[in-house]
Structures are given as C-alpha cells and as structure tokens.
Amino acid sequence: MENLSKYDQVFISNLQVTQGMLSTLTYQSVPAWDSVGHMGLIAQLEEAFDIMIDTDDIIDFSSYQKGKEIIAKYGITL
Amino acid sequence: MKIVEAVWEKRNLGVVCKEITFEAHDSLEDLSGIKALVEHTEYLVVKVPTLRYDLNQAIAAMGLSFIEVSIHFELMLKNALLSGLQTRLNNSITYAEMEVRDLELLFDEIRDGMFASDRILLDPAFTSEQAANRYIHWIQDEIQRGAQVYKILHKNQSVGFFTFKEIKEGIYYPFLAGMYKAFAASGLGFTTLRKPIDEAIRRGGQMISTYTSSNNLPVVRAHIQQGFSISGMYYVFIKHN
C-alpha cells in the first residue's frame, strides 16, 4: 500500500493530475505527459523506488496501468 | 516588408500563394501597399514580428485570421542540455542516413498524419492529402538541394526521423523531424532534437537554428528543456480568397 501511494504521488506531482484521474491516465492524455514529462516521470520513479528502468520498459511505459506492470518487474509490489 | 510569391505552394496545395513578412521597423503605412494582395490572393500568409500590436490589429481588421506563432530557436552546441536519464536513452538510440525504402516509410507516416499541429492540416480549407503532399515535396526538394534525411533507430527499428541542412558554415537547420506513429508515446521524442545536435557536433559545427509552431507545445517544451533559446517570434495570419 505504501508503494502504491508512492507510485501515485510521482504521477500527481510530475503531471499535475488528481488522484481521480490516475486509473485512466495515458501518455499524451494530459499536456504535461509529453516527452519532457515522460523523462521527469521515469526519473522520479527510479529515484522513488531506487531502481533503473530498462530502455524497452521506458518506451513501453504508456499509461498509469501499464506502468504498474512494469514496476512490478523490478520487484516492487504495489 | 518582404513579399514572396510562394510558387511551390501551387504544386503542393494547388493554390496561388503569397507570403508577406513584416519586419520590426515596418510602418502601418506599408499596409496600404498590400491591400490588393489581401483582397485577391488565393491564399495569403502574413508574418508579423511580436510586439507589433499595431500591425497585428490592422492586419486582423483587414480580414486575416491568426493561426499560429512561429517560434525561432537557436542553440550554441556547447550549451546543449540532457538529463542523466535522457543521456542513458540517447546512448541506446542511433541514427543513419536514409535510403530510398526508408524515405517511402517516412512518406507513408506523413500521409498517416504525422504532423498534427501543422497549420495546413489544421486549416479546414485544405485536406490532409494536401498537407501531406506539401511535406513530402518539401523534403524531396531539399534533398535535391543537398539536404540529408536521417532515420532514428532503436534496435535497428526506425522510430522517427530528422532532416539536416547546413545554412551557413557551422550552422545547421534541421527543418523537419518527428516520431513515427507506433513510437509517438514512447518518450523518445527528445531524440528528434538531440540527434541533429549529435550530428552537428560530429561535423564540428557551432550552432543549430530552427523554428517550430506554437501549436506544437510538446516540441516547444522539448527545445527549452534541451537548452535552446528563442531568437525571434512571428505571429502568422492567413486569408483565403
């Protein structure tokens, strides 16, 4: 639960979205989630969970939900 | 004030087009000299430097519609910026000059609506086919004039492209760039700006000079994030007759 809260907060602080928007949030669905926003989001997730995300996973990280699957690959239980 | 008969647009768009560019020192009286052009040119494009509110208002009063701000960017290569994460990603992305089959893929992507913020595509007076043809002809013309077109590669798969042209010694102009549809949501968009920088550095250049539309906010943000500074801005107005 703590990890999920941390995961959510990275999105909320980076992309200026509300908790209620997260479940359907996808790349480019809000102006802040563009190429620049994506880099900020991934960098903060790496810092928050002390992981290094592979290039393929960064490219595949296309939504809040997809991101959960990707983060789980690094041993993080959300 | 400079008036250009944009003959290439007759082939690209099928209309007679003139482009008028005002400079900061032009006076309101200069407008009287373009009245006939405003009333009779099939497709008129007028560019006005920012801060000339008087010209903006007068041009709008002549029946022209505002469509975008053309934002001109410059980057001294020594000032180029990349975050640690971007550097890591950039090192895993390569580029290579296009061959004929690569150009066909690029042209298919353009026909599929690659440049969604383009003022021609956004203009209901034109079709998506006209907008695509304009870009394809532009690239073909520039190749004839000596420009290069590069594919951006991730694991040998084309994910996007950039163009490259030397406009003065050591100054390069990547006049078009973009990501392919399948990779538009990959976060790799920054490489369409960074790979031209890498190529300019490889050639021993000093500067990148380019411009983009205010209608394309992600690209504006990407330029600023990578260290570009704004060298000028023009309000762009259009009129169809």
Side-chain angles (χ1 to χ4, degrees), chain B residues 169-220:
Chain B
E169 192 177 349
I171 302 177
Y172 295 95
Y173 169 38
F175 56 93
L176 272 178
M179 294 299 291
Y180 292 164
K181 198 170 193 174
F183 295 90
S186 65
L188 294 177
F190 78 91
T191 62
T192 62
L193 275 65
R194 179 63 204 195
K195 289 307 179 189
I197 294 171
D198 290 346
E199 178 60 16
I201 291 170
R202 192 190 69 79
R203 295 188 190 196
Q206 288 93 49
M207 182 192 278
I208 297 272
S209 175
T210 188
Y211 67 90
T212 193
S213 168
S214 57
N215 294 329
N216 195 344
L217 182 60
V219 171
V220 174

Side-chain angles (χ1 to χ4, degrees), chain A residues 2-72:
Chain A
E2 192 185 326
N3 281 340
L4 180 60
S5 172
K6 206 191 282 187
Y7 181 75
D8 288 356
Q9 278 308 312
V10 171
F11 280 81
I12 290 167
S13 63
N14 265 276
L15 303 178
Q16 297 100 49
V17 293
T18 61
Q19 184 79 40
M21 296 164 70
L22 291 178
S23 63
T24 57
L25 195 65
T26 59
Y27 190 107
Q28 291 173 337
S29 65
V30 292
W33 197 351
D34 58 6
S35 174
V36 173
H38 196 66
M39 291 300 109
L41 182 73
I42 299 293
Q44 203 169 329
L45 284 168
E46 288 190 335
E47 190 181 331
F49 294 109
D50 195 22
I51 55 176
M52 185 177 282
I53 302 175
D54 289 342
T55 305
D56 285 343
D57 289 333
I58 294 172
I59 292 170
D60 287 342
F61 203 111
S62 56
S63 70
Y64 169 85
Q65 300 293 0
K66 181 71 182 176
K68 282 183 173 176
E69 293 171 25
I70 288 170
I71 291 295

Side-chain angles (χ1 to χ4, degrees), chain B residues 7-26:
Chain B
V7 289
W8 56 91
E9 299 294 26
K10 181 68 178 170
R11 179 193 56 174
N12 296 340
L13 303 172
V15 295
V16 174
C17 174
K18 289 191 168 61
E19 292 188 3
I20 302 173
T21 304
F22 283 94
E23 297 302 335
H25 56 78
D26 286 328

Side-chain angles (χ1 to χ4, degrees), chain B residues 92-107:
Chain B
S92 72
I93 303 294
T94 58
Y95 64 96
E97 194 161 355
M98 282 196 181
E99 297 170 10
V100 173
R101 66 174 183 274
D102 301 311
L103 282 170
E104 285 308 316
L105 172 63
L106 168 60
F107 295 161

